[in-house]
Amino acid sequence: PHFGILNEWNKINNISKKIKKSDINFIIEPYVRFKGLPGEQKTMFFKDPFGNALEFKSFKNDSDIFRKEL
């Protein structure tokens, strides 16, 4: 289980750079899932100071956010 946060496509790279500069270890390093396909998204996972898993992600097309099939 994790908590997810959606971000704007253009801003998520800045967020991942800030996290990389901090002392936070990624569970899953930032990467692009489904590249070139419907549902294309940038995602990364890390834990907050209390050990809760967090996912920060961004969809290339906002219309894919609630898409049932990718």
Side-chain angles (χ1 to χ4, degrees):
H2 68 280
F3 180 79
I5 299 170
L6 285 174
N7 297 277
E8 293 180 29
W9 185 259
N10 296 342
K11 293 184 179 180
I12 197 151
N13 290 338
N14 291 334
I15 294 168
S16 66
K17 287 177 188 176
K18 288 179 182 180
I19 293 168
K20 285 179 181 180
K21 288 181 182 179
S22 71
D23 197 21
I24 297 173
N25 295 317
F26 287 98
I27 299 169
I28 298 175
E29 294 276 337
Y31 77 106
V32 178
R33 293 177 67 190
F34 312 118
K35 189 169 180 119
L37 301 171
E40 182 174 350
Q41 57 191 264
K42 295 177 184 177
T43 186
M44 63 184 125
F45 284 80
F46 54 91
K47 291 187 178 179
D48 70 12
F50 303 100
N52 300 301
L54 303 176
E55 177 185 18
F56 278 58
K57 73 167 30 177
S58 178
F59 286 86
K60 187 167 189 176
N61 297 306
D62 289 346
S63 62
D64 290 332
I65 293 171
F66 295 109
R67 180 186 290 268
K68 292 188 181 205
E69 294 182 26
L70 298 179

